[in-house]
Amino acid sequence: LGSSRSSDDGVSWSDRENLDFKSTGDLTDDVAGRLRSGPAHGIELTTGDAAGRLVFSTDITQGGETLTQLILSDDGGLSWRIGAHHRSDDAAGPNPDETAITELVDGTILLSARNGSADTPGRIQMRSTDGGETFADQDGQVMVIASELTVPVVQGSLLTEPTSGLAIFSSPSDPVYRRGPRLWTSSDGNDWELGPLLSQNPAAYSDLVALPDGDNSAVGVIVETGDRGLYERIEFVRIPVPELTDGPFENLEDDFDVAGAVSGR
C-alpha cells in the first residue's frame, strides 16, 4: 500500500511512497503492507476534535478471516496509522471487503462493505463515533446488515451530500445480477430509502462526488456500464439534489439479458 501527492490539482504526482504500518493492532508486518484500500474515495473529517483528519478504509483476508481497518492521517497525508480495526471469521458470518466510508452530519464515520457471505447476505455496515479510532458496538455487534440495500455482491460507494446532509449510497440494485445502477438516501445511515434509478442497463462499480452550487447543487455518479455488457464504457451522471428524494422512482424491469449482467465476473 502506498501514496503519492499532488500540489497542482492532479496534473502531476510525486513518486510513490510505501506506507509502513509495522505491527499495529491485529496486523503482522507482512500483512500490513498488503492492505486493500477502497476502491472508492477517502474522506476528510469536518466535525469534532478530529476535524481535518484524513481517513480511508481497507481490508485484507488472512487465514479464513477478514481484517477491516480505518487508516488515519493527522498531518495532511505525510504520515499514516491504523485506527479502528475489526477481525471477522469468514465462515461464521458476514464477509466484508471493498469498503466505502463517509462522515455523517453528526460526525459518525459510516463504513459500508460488500458482503461475500452466502449465509448472511446483505450490505455490511460498521460505525466509528470517535473519529476513526475504534469501531462502535451496535447492539452487541460491530457489523450490521443494511437490509434495505437489496444489492448483488458488488462494490458500492458512499457520500454525504453537504447541502442536504443526506447520506447517499450507489450500487447496482438487482439483488442477484449486476444491473440497474441506483442511488439510495438516508438521514442517519441506518434507514435507507429508495432513490433514482440511473438506467436499466448492466452496471458494476461506481463512485460519488458532491457538486455543491447553491440551488443547483447535485451529486455526480461515475459508473461502469454498457448497453449489453458491464464494461463497455464509463458514464458520469449528474443528479440534482431535489431529485434524490423526489419519487416515485422507476423500478427495474423483469425482462433483461442475463448474459450482459454477468459478463466479466
Side-chain angles (χ1 to χ4, degrees):
L1 193 64
S3 68
S4 298
R5 301 175 64 84
S6 176
S7 58
D8 54 12
D9 293 326
V11 175
S12 63
W13 293 84
S14 67
D15 292 338
R16 172 192 166 98
E17 298 180 8
N18 289 330
L19 303 184
D20 186 5
F21 298 113
K22 302 297 184 182
S23 294
T24 304
D26 289 339
L27 299 181
T28 59
D29 289 342
D30 63 319
V31 172
R34 297 185 287 110
L35 301 177
R36 301 179 295 229
S37 58
H41 59 271
I43 58 175
E44 179 179 349
L45 301 184
T46 62
T47 303
D49 295 338
R53 173 175 291 169
L54 304 181
V55 186
F56 68 95
S57 54
T58 68
D59 68 87
I60 191 166
T61 301
Q62 181 188 34
E65 295 180 317
T66 295
L67 302 169
T68 307
Q69 308 84 22
L70 297 182
I71 310 300
L72 315 177
S73 176
D74 291 310
D75 56 11
L78 294 176
S79 63
W80 296 85
R81 61 185 174 87
I82 294 175
H85 50 278
H86 178 69
R87 182 185 294 271
S88 55
D89 185 344
D90 295 348
N95 180 3
D97 71 349
E98 295 194 336
T99 55
I101 56 173
T102 192
E103 181 188 27
L104 303 177
V105 292
D106 66 356
T108 296
I109 298 173
L110 177 67
L111 180 149
S112 177
R114 185 174 81 164
N115 184 5
S117 172
D119 295 328
T120 54
R123 194 74 187 179
I124 298 169
Q125 293 192 164
M126 304 167 70
R127 289 174 177 259
S128 175
T129 57
D130 57 6
E133 300 289 355
T134 63
F135 286 121
D137 184 281
Q138 304 175 75
D139 296 327
Q141 54 190 349
V142 171
M143 296 189 300
V144 299
I145 300 297
S147 58
E148 300 96 338
L149 301 177
T150 54
V151 300
V153 179
V154 69
Q155 177 265 2
S157 185
L158 276 178
L159 177 78
T160 298
E161 198 288 310
T163 63
S164 65
L166 287 172
I168 316 296
F169 176 72
S170 66
S171 171
S173 56
D174 187 298
V176 178
Y177 300 105
R178 292 183 173 186
R179 69 175 187 116
R182 185 185 289 277
L183 303 184
W184 287 258
T185 64
S186 175
S187 60
D188 58 7
N190 285 316
D191 302 313
W192 292 92
E193 301 288 341
L194 206 64
L197 184 71
L198 305 186
S199 78
Q200 298 281 346
N201 292 337
Y205 288 19
S206 62
D207 201 4
L208 294 163
V209 64
L211 304 172
D213 186 21
D215 293 339
N216 296 316
S217 294
V219 169
V221 190
I222 190 168
V223 59
E224 297 174 316
T225 187
D227 297 316
R228 174 174 170 77
L230 295 166
Y231 310 114
E232 293 174 359
R233 60 182 179 270
I234 294 177
E235 290 186 356
F236 184 83
V237 183
R238 183 182 184 277
I239 308 292
V241 169
E243 295 183 14
L244 293 172
T245 55
D246 186 18
F249 298 108
E250 183 181 359
N251 293 321
L252 266 180
E253 298 172 356
D254 292 332
D255 184 19
F256 75 104
D257 179 6
V258 174
V262 299
S263 63
R265 288 296 304 275

